Amino acid sequence: MKRQEVFKWCKQQYGTEPDYPWNDWNCVLRHKRNNKWYALIMEIEERKLGLDGNRVVDVLNVKCDPILIGSLQTQPDFFPAYHMNKDKWISIILDGTVSADEIINLIDLSYQLTKK
């Protein structure tokens, strides 16, 4: 799943659009009612995730169950959350490697966890 596919799915599912608070390519997806973030998409260099290389990649941050985070981080393209609480958020590289179904499930979980 790529950035634009995430936006399209979130608009269809939750009626939300990306918000660009920093006037760059990085954006947040927010609840309509409480304005809380349920996802963050940003461009970062691979090395900031602990990978070799300076390639810039799109990363999706979502809130997640701490128990689930441990098992997800054993898989490729899942990392401790960049620039967020690493105990409650996880980063996923949006390069098409992680299945759309898995990303959708994690976005939905994040949406539910940040709803209150």
Side-chain angles (χ1 to χ4, degrees):
M1 210 169 187
K2 303 284 184 165
R3 174 188 287 253
Q4 292 303 321
E5 295 168 303
V6 170
F7 296 157
K8 182 179 177 181
W9 186 84
C10 290
K11 183 174 182 173
Q12 290 171 343
Q13 186 70 21
Y14 310 118
T16 58
E17 301 268 355
D19 177 21
Y20 296 86
W22 304 286
N23 298 317
D24 59 15
W25 194 237
N26 302 319
C27 67
V28 296
L29 292 161
R30 303 174 188 265
H31 288 270
K32 285 182 165 184
R33 294 184 105 181
N34 65 15
N35 219 26
K36 286 186 179 183
W37 299 5
Y38 67 88
L40 166 67
I41 296 180
M42 59 191 146
E43 291 182 320
I44 61 172
E45 292 179 1
E46 293 171 304
R47 66 181 172 77
K48 291 182 178 179
L49 297 171
L51 299 171
D52 292 331
N54 292 320
R55 184 174 63 119
V56 174
V57 294
D58 274 341
V59 171
L60 168 69
N61 278 3
V62 289
K63 193 166 188 176
C64 194
D65 181 313
I67 295 170
L68 186 56
I69 288 174
S71 63
L72 287 172
Q73 288 178 3
T74 65
Q75 301 176 42
D77 293 325
F78 289 91
F79 300 89
Y82 178 75
H83 208 57
M84 300 289 278
N85 180 325
K86 292 173 182 16
D87 294 330
K88 297 182 181 176
W89 291 74
I90 191 161
S91 290
I92 308 160
I93 295 180
L94 293 176
D95 64 358
T97 306
V98 178
S99 76
D101 287 341
E102 191 163 15
I103 289 173
I104 286 168
N105 287 337
L106 290 168
I107 292 171
D108 193 52
L109 174 61
S110 183
Y111 189 85
Q112 298 306 319
L113 290 171
T114 56
K115 199 175 190 179
K116 299 175 184 174

